[in-house]
């Protein structure tokens, strides 16, 4: 993606999509990167979280312009529903990271005395994060924050339906984050290629149709996954309802 500022307006020039044939080598590269152990270090995790903070701060004008192009979002709405949520999550992760990485000592059962027992949190490995179109920034980046804090290598897959935002994110991720965090863009062919790969964890936010495919791919390779799925919220409106209030509620509910 290339950008040009003209009279305060940021114009976005689209880059080419990821070739699905390249997915296998990208995943393999992430696996090699994770195997070096660098993503497990506290220093790497903190550095990437700080870099993510810089990405959001510096990239806010570009992302705001992209969100307006994709979703007709006002700048204030973009800040409230996207950027400030991410900023809060980054600060939360940074403030708790030291304690999250500490071993948790637990009682040793009689059969294993005099051993010392503790719980150590280990990263999964290579994580796939797939985001939807309606909140294309925060629903991609917030799971990324958790994956970084846990010490994983990550492959990001933004929605093809928010194309301008996806390309802006692609540009920013490649500029600010380490090579152990990759991003791919494309359509249904890309999804097919992704589901052929073996990930160590998958995090998907979106509709039930694609969610079922994620679950099927996870089941086939015994890969754990998290599905945050949309759904229907039926409502009954009778003659006593205040239609103005109902419209406001309906608008808020229909956002997800």
């Amino acid at each position: 993606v290339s950008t040009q500022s003209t009279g305060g307006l940021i114009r976005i020039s689209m880059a080419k999509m990821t070739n699905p044939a390249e997915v296998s080598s990208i995943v393999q590269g992430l696996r090699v990167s994770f195997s070096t152990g660098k993503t497990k270090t506290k220093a790497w995790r903190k550095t990437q979280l700080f870099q993510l903070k810089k990405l959001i701060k510096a990239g806010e004008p570009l992302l705001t312009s992209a969100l307006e192009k994709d979703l007709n979002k006002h700048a204030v709405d973009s800040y409230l529903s996207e950027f400030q949520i991410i900023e809060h999550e980054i600060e939360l992760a940074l403030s708790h990271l030291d304690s999250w990485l500490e071993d948790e000592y637990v009682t040793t059962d009689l059969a294993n005395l005099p051993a010392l027992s503790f719980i150590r949190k280990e990263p999964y490995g290579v994580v796939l994060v797939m985001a939807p179109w309606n909140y294309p920034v925060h629903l991609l980046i917030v799971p990324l924050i958790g994956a970084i804090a846990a010490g994983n290598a990550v492959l990001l897959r933004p929605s093809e339906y928010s194309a301008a935002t996806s390309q802006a994110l692609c540009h920013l991720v490649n500029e600010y984050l380490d090579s152990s965090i990759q991003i791919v863009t494309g359509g249904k062919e890309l999804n097919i290629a992704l589901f052929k790969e073996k990930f160590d964890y998958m995090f998907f936010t979106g509709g039930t149709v694609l969610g079922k495919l994620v679950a099927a791919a996870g089941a086939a390779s015994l890969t754990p996954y998290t599905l945050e799925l949309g759904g229907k919220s039926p409502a009954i409106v009778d003659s006593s309802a205040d239609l103005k209030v109902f419209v406001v509620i309906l608008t808020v509910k229909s956002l997800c």
Side-chain angles (χ1 to χ4, degrees):
V1 64
S2 61
T3 62
Q4 181 180 5
S5 180
T6 307
L9 176 66
I10 298 176
R11 295 185 177 181
I12 303 170
S13 176
M14 292 296 104
K16 68 175 183 178
M17 299 297 184
T18 304
N19 184 345
E22 298 173 353
V23 167
S24 184
S25 62
I26 293 172
V27 174
Q28 180 59 28
L30 289 171
R31 200 162 295 286
V32 170
S33 181
F34 178 76
S35 69
T36 66
K38 72 172 183 177
T39 66
K40 297 175 70 173
T41 66
K42 184 190 297 186
W44 184 88
R45 303 184 203 201
K46 286 193 172 183
T47 297
Q48 294 312 301
L49 290 172
F50 278 118
Q51 283 297 110
L52 196 53
K53 193 174 181 180
K54 289 180 182 179
L55 181 158
I56 294 300
K57 188 69 175 178
E60 186 173 333
L62 176 62
L63 290 169
T64 299
S65 180
L67 288 164
E68 182 179 9
K69 182 174 182 178
D70 285 332
L71 303 172
N72 199 28
K73 270 194 176 186
H74 189 274
V76 174
D77 185 16
S78 292
Y79 178 75
L80 293 176
S81 66
E82 305 274 7
F83 309 131
Q84 67 90 18
I85 295 173
I86 294 170
E87 291 169 353
H88 172 77
E89 290 295 324
I90 293 173
E91 292 300 330
L92 182 70
L94 285 170
S95 64
H96 290 282
L97 188 61
D98 288 342
S99 62
W100 289 345
L101 294 180
E102 292 177 355
D103 292 337
E104 179 184 348
Y105 288 89
V106 295
T107 303
T108 302
D109 64 289
L110 187 61
N112 288 295
L113 288 175
L116 184 66
S117 301
F118 58 89
I119 299 171
R120 176 168 295 167
K121 294 90 172 178
E122 294 284 352
Y124 278 98
V126 178
V127 174
L128 173 65
V129 176
M130 303 181 72
W133 59 267
N134 56 343
Y135 292 97
V137 182
H138 103 247
L139 289 179
L140 185 77
I141 301 301
V142 169
L144 171 62
I145 294 168
I148 290 173
N152 297 285
V154 187
L155 182 59
L156 300 169
R157 197 275 192 239
S159 173
E160 71 272 25
Y161 296 115
S162 50
T165 306
S166 295
Q167 292 297 334
L169 285 165
C170 188
H171 168 72
L172 293 167
V173 166
N174 289 329
E175 181 176 351
Y176 283 92
L177 301 183
D178 182 73
S179 60
S180 294
I181 302 165
Q182 295 287 322
I183 184 167
V184 291
T185 57
K188 294 180 180 178
E189 295 79 9
L190 181 65
N191 290 337
I192 294 171
L194 287 171
F195 294 150
K196 290 180 180 178
E197 297 299 319
K198 173 68 174 74
F199 293 95
D200 300 302
Y201 199 96
M202 297 187 292
F203 191 105
F204 171 78
T205 305
T208 55
V209 174
L210 190 52
K212 290 178 181 178
L213 296 178
V214 174
S221 58
L222 297 180
T223 300
Y225 55 83
T226 295
L227 303 179
E228 183 185 354
L229 304 178
K232 303 297 183 182
S233 299
I236 298 174
V237 184
D238 62 24
S239 58
S240 66
D242 185 329
L243 293 182
K244 291 183 178 179
V245 174
F246 172 72
V247 168
V248 172
I249 296 173
L250 182 64
T251 301
V252 174
K253 286 290 186 181
S254 65
L255 290 176
C256 293

